[in-house]
Amino acid sequence: MIDRRRWLDRFVEVFARQMAQRTSRRSVLTRFGSFLVGATLPVLPVARAAEDGRLPPPDDAALKGDAGDPKSCNYWRHCAIDGFLCACCGGSQNACPPGTEMSPVTWIGTCRHPGDGKDYIISYNDCCGQSLCLRCRCTRTEGEKPLYFTSKNNDLLWCFGTKSRAVNCSVAVVLGVATRS
């Protein structure tokens, strides 16, 4: 048993000495920092686009005018959107256009449905993989927080976790009814 410990101690010592000769403290800290960022970025407290078990969105059939038109900047779900509307680019308010993929990382907003008067939590996802759509530009910042509160800020590139960082358009997915606690 003692020989095994000595062997293990000697192995760790030789390995540590060799690594210390080949690398600097800065490079070790850089790699460790990169590992921490890579390990923590996916678990930041932001809404996820692929969550299951969502309630169906409210019925927009009774809404008149721009408040019920997904191609309008005044559509009720677009209260905190910033980007080109996917409904004008070959997608819908819930789905990305063909050839793009929805970013799993998102910013969120809370919008009031004019038909039932309830507040709904909206997930704004960028659709990534093609160049900008350049149709139906919409920038609404109701309830936007400063940049240090990133999950409620729409001024960032949100194409994390996708094959491409090119932003095409943005969707507005209803996550559920907002409740007061």
Side-chain angles (χ1 to χ4, degrees):
M1 183 73 162
I2 294 174
D3 289 338
R4 286 185 189 173
R5 285 186 195 162
R6 286 184 189 165
W7 177 84
L8 183 61
D9 287 343
R10 180 73 180 139
F11 175 78
V12 170
E13 178 186 358
V14 169
F15 178 77
R17 287 181 187 275
Q18 287 176 351
M19 190 169 88
Q21 290 173 353
R22 287 181 288 178
T23 60
S24 68
R25 281 178 280 196
R26 284 185 180 168
S27 69
V28 170
L29 288 174
T30 301
R31 289 181 185 181
F32 182 68
S34 298
F35 170 76
L36 284 178
V37 168
T40 58
L41 189 61
V43 295
L44 289 175
V46 294
R48 304 290 176 194
E51 292 182 37
D52 293 329
R54 286 194 205 118
L55 297 173
D59 184 21
D60 292 344
L63 297 179
K64 304 287 187 229
D66 287 346
D69 181 10
K71 293 182 179 181
S72 168
C73 194
N74 292 323
Y75 180 54
W76 75 272
R77 291 187 194 187
H78 296 159
C79 71
I81 200 163
D82 183 6
F84 298 97
L85 305 178
C86 285
C88 297
C89 303
S92 69
Q93 67 268 25
N94 294 321
C96 291
T100 63
E101 66 177 315
M102 190 179 296
S103 174
V105 185
T106 175
W107 72 97
I108 58 171
T110 305
C111 302
R112 183 170 300 254
H113 187 273
D116 63 12
K118 293 181 183 175
D119 291 329
Y120 289 87
I121 300 170
I122 310 295
S123 168
Y124 299 102
N125 299 72
D126 282 340
C127 294
C128 312
Q130 294 180 357
S131 61
L132 289 172
C133 167
L134 300 178
R135 287 190 297 263
C136 300
R137 173 79 173 141
C138 186
T139 303
R140 292 183 57 191
T141 57
E142 297 155 35
E144 181 181 9
K145 297 295 182 190
L147 190 56
Y148 56 81
F149 193 29
T150 57
S151 65
K152 290 196 175 196
N153 189 286
N154 60 15
D155 293 329
L156 298 174
L157 172 69
W158 288 94
C159 286
F160 299 113
T162 59
K163 293 176 187 167
S164 171
R165 291 273 178 110
V167 178
N168 181 260
C169 59
S170 299
V171 296
V173 180
V174 175
L175 295 179
V177 178
T179 56
R180 306 214 188 272
S181 50

